[in-house]
Amino acid sequence: MHVTPPIPPLKRVPPGAWVALAWCASTLFTFLARIRLPGEQTANELVAAQFYRWDGLLILAVSCALALAGGRLLTRRPLAAFTLLLAAAAFITINLAVGAIQLAQYLAVDIALYFIAAARPRRTGVTALTMALALLVAWLTVRLLHGWGVGTLVELTVALTVVVSWLLGDSAHRTRVHAEQLRVRAAGQAVTDERLRIAREMHDMVAHSIGIIALQAGAAARVVHTQPDAAREAMTAVETAGRETLAGLRRMLVALRQADQDRSDRAHPSGAPGSGASGTQGGLREEGDPDAPGRSREHDPAEPDRSPAPGGNRSRTPQTAPLRPAEGLADLDRLAAATTAAGVRVDVRWSGERRQLPPDIDLSAFRIVQESITNVVRHAATTACRVTVEHRDTEVAVEITDDGRGRGATTDTGFGLIGMRERTALLHGEFTAGPRPEGGFRVSARLPLPATSTAAAR
């Protein structure tokens, strides 16, 4: 839900249009240099005999056709387009009867070379650079072999502009590649951070379940002889908690193993052994991460209250998880009230029969809603958003929409969407996020329920 600034108007112009515009400007300059302008005694350049004849005009027409065709092909077949532009520069130079290819005639070539070096692989850019320099050398060689005069200094100047154009384009290409590498690395780090966060939450859920099992087992042991029915109920609760915990762990471990295998297959398509999960690289945190350093929990309406209960044991070590259930969709009302108090009204709508969900699915659904509301507060610039929770037979679906200004997309560099997508993928669900046609932003997630939960609901 990050605000994406509009593309600058000049960047919307395709490269071929810039090349065509440069050719037209250089052709106009060529004509202006051969006429006497106001305030001048004579024209700056001598006019060749065929410049205004039918054969000169024919050469000019052919050159313009070649240049415009090269501009049209630049994005699809860059080297073929570059060849046409070089041919156009050579043809129009023949019409000028000069000793060297002029800088004006190579203006379109320089611009095309910049775009090729910036947008294409380095090998393609080097090939285009070699072609441009080879034409200049060939021009001088032919004239020298025929004993005609040459303009060596002019040719060296043109060659220098060619090299500078390629250097600028190659620098832009390297910058773009480096930025893409940083984006991929940051996205991978965001996934790793989200997995660590999920692992911590799973640890809390398992610790809570083990605590409940210990309490229920102790209670059953005390009343097994005096209240067998109560002992039976306690042991049933122990069995249920144990099965739910094992099922959640199994789902999470299978999903993590499958995700790691898929990532290893993509990284080593030839079947080479992968390196496994990558290590954590410190310093990168997704926006909205509750564990990010320096984030104020008391001012974030989307952050749960983790303060110890009054009168509780404050000497508990940080490694000991509290014996309280993990957060879930039942906490949405509290989350909505806190966000509304912060200035953004949250309307929660429930659909379907509300029922108890497996802890991992319940927590993931809550985290997706929590992160989405946090993004609305920070980026949407709106005063309201809507949360819809739909309990279906085989899945639970959550949808968060707003009418703000956010024009973010799934390709944005914000890592909140990456974390939500990772959570959904680990549970084999479906996640979508993007701008709405009528304005605003929409986040939707569908989390399938295990067969045991579906059967229990029926």
Side-chain angles (χ1 to χ4, degrees):
M1 249 171 280
H2 300 263
V3 177
T4 303
I7 300 176
L10 292 180
K11 287 193 174 182
R12 300 178 187 176
V13 181
W18 285 113
V19 172
L21 182 62
W23 177 264
C24 294
S26 64
T27 304
L28 177 61
F29 178 81
T30 301
F31 273 94
L32 292 178
R34 282 157 178 80
I35 63 175
R36 187 173 63 85
L37 298 177
E40 294 181 342
Q41 297 295 329
T42 59
N44 286 277
E45 298 287 344
L46 296 178
V47 181
Q50 75 276 13
F51 191 73
Y52 293 113
R53 289 190 332 218
W54 67 270
D55 52 345
L57 296 178
L58 178 61
I59 292 176
L60 176 62
V62 172
S63 301
C64 291
L66 291 174
L68 295 179
R72 289 174 60 91
L73 291 175
L74 186 60
T75 55
R76 290 175 295 172
R77 301 177 60 186
L79 292 181
F82 199 69
T83 302
L84 294 177
L85 289 170
L86 291 175
F91 265 105
I92 199 171
T93 304
I94 293 175
N95 200 28
L96 302 179
V98 292
I101 298 179
Q102 303 293 304
L103 181 60
Q105 278 62 62
Y106 245 48
L107 178 60
V109 173
D110 291 341
I111 293 179
L113 179 60
Y114 168 81
F115 283 117
I116 292 175
R120 297 291 175 171
R122 198 161 190 262
R123 182 177 181 180
T124 304
V126 172
T127 302
L129 172 65
T130 305
M131 292 169 59
L133 295 177
L135 177 60
L136 298 177
V137 174
W139 183 274
L140 290 180
T141 303
V142 170
R143 293 190 65 88
L144 288 174
L145 290 177
H146 286 80
W148 301 333
V150 296
T152 306
L153 183 60
V154 175
E155 212 77 318
L156 289 177
T157 304
V158 175
L160 180 61
T161 61
V162 169
V163 174
V164 170
S165 298
W166 178 81
L167 288 175
L168 292 175
D170 186 66
S171 177
H173 175 76
R174 289 174 178 270
T175 301
R176 181 172 56 85
V177 170
H178 181 65
E180 180 65 18
Q181 291 174 348
L182 290 180
R183 189 195 66 81
V184 172
R185 187 181 305 173
Q189 182 62 38
V191 171
T192 301
D193 290 344
E194 188 65 21
R195 288 189 176 190
L196 292 175
R197 183 180 174 190
I198 293 172
R200 289 193 297 268
E201 293 170 349
M202 179 62 69
H203 170 269
D204 291 343
M205 286 191 296
V206 171
H208 169 73
S209 298
I210 296 300
I212 294 298
I213 290 174
L215 291 177
Q216 294 286 2
R222 286 191 295 270
V223 300
V224 65
H225 297 295
T226 58
Q227 302 180 34
D229 293 337
R232 186 180 300 107
E233 292 180 0
M235 296 309 297
T236 301
V238 168
E239 180 185 8
T240 302
R243 290 183 181 276
E244 288 183 351
T245 302
L246 288 176
L249 281 175
R250 186 179 297 110
R251 282 194 300 271
M252 192 61 61
L253 291 176
V254 170
L256 286 172
R257 187 178 295 112
Q258 180 178 354
D260 289 338
Q261 182 63 36
D262 294 341
R263 182 177 300 179
S264 177
D265 292 341
R266 287 194 300 268
H268 305 276
S270 61
S275 59
S278 60
T280 303
Q281 299 175 3
L284 289 176
R285 285 287 184 177
E286 67 170 303
E287 191 167 9
D289 190 347
D291 298 311
R295 180 174 177 184
S296 174
R297 298 180 184 273
E298 59 187 50
H299 295 296
D300 192 343
E303 185 64 25
D305 183 12
R306 298 182 183 270
S307 58
N313 184 9
R314 296 180 181 269
S315 64
R316 184 192 307 272
T317 60
Q319 289 78 13
T320 304
L323 291 179
R324 62 174 177 82
E327 292 169 313
L329 294 177
D331 299 301
L332 280 186
D333 293 336
R334 175 189 59 80
L335 177 64
T339 308
T340 302
V344 177
R345 189 180 76 255
V346 179
D347 299 325
V348 181
R349 186 173 69 88
W350 299 85
S351 177
E353 182 181 356
R354 298 177 63 173
R355 60 183 183 271
Q356 185 176 2
L357 301 175
D360 53 340
I361 296 178
D362 198 19
L363 177 61
S364 293
F366 176 79
R367 290 297 188 214
I368 291 172
V369 175
Q370 182 187 43
E371 180 66 30
S372 300
I373 292 178
T374 300
N375 285 344
V376 171
V377 173
R378 292 187 173 185
H379 307 293
T382 185
T383 58
C385 69
R386 294 164 296 281
V387 177
T388 302
V389 181
E390 184 176 358
H391 288 270
R392 301 171 183 171
D393 293 338
T394 59
E395 64 184 10
V396 59
V398 295
E399 181 183 80
I400 304 91
T401 58
D402 66 80
D403 299 322
R405 66 182 182 184
R407 293 190 299 273
T410 55
T411 57
D412 284 350
T413 57
F415 302 131
L417 296 181
I418 295 177
M420 289 185 275
R421 184 176 291 106
E422 180 69 11
R423 281 183 178 273
T424 306
L426 290 178
L427 295 174
H428 304 285
E430 298 180 7
F431 178 83
T432 57
R436 303 166 62 202
E438 62 272 23
F441 203 86
R442 173 180 176 269
V443 174
S444 175
R446 297 167 54 188
L447 305 178
L449 300 176
T452 53
S453 298
T454 304
R458 294 178 180 175

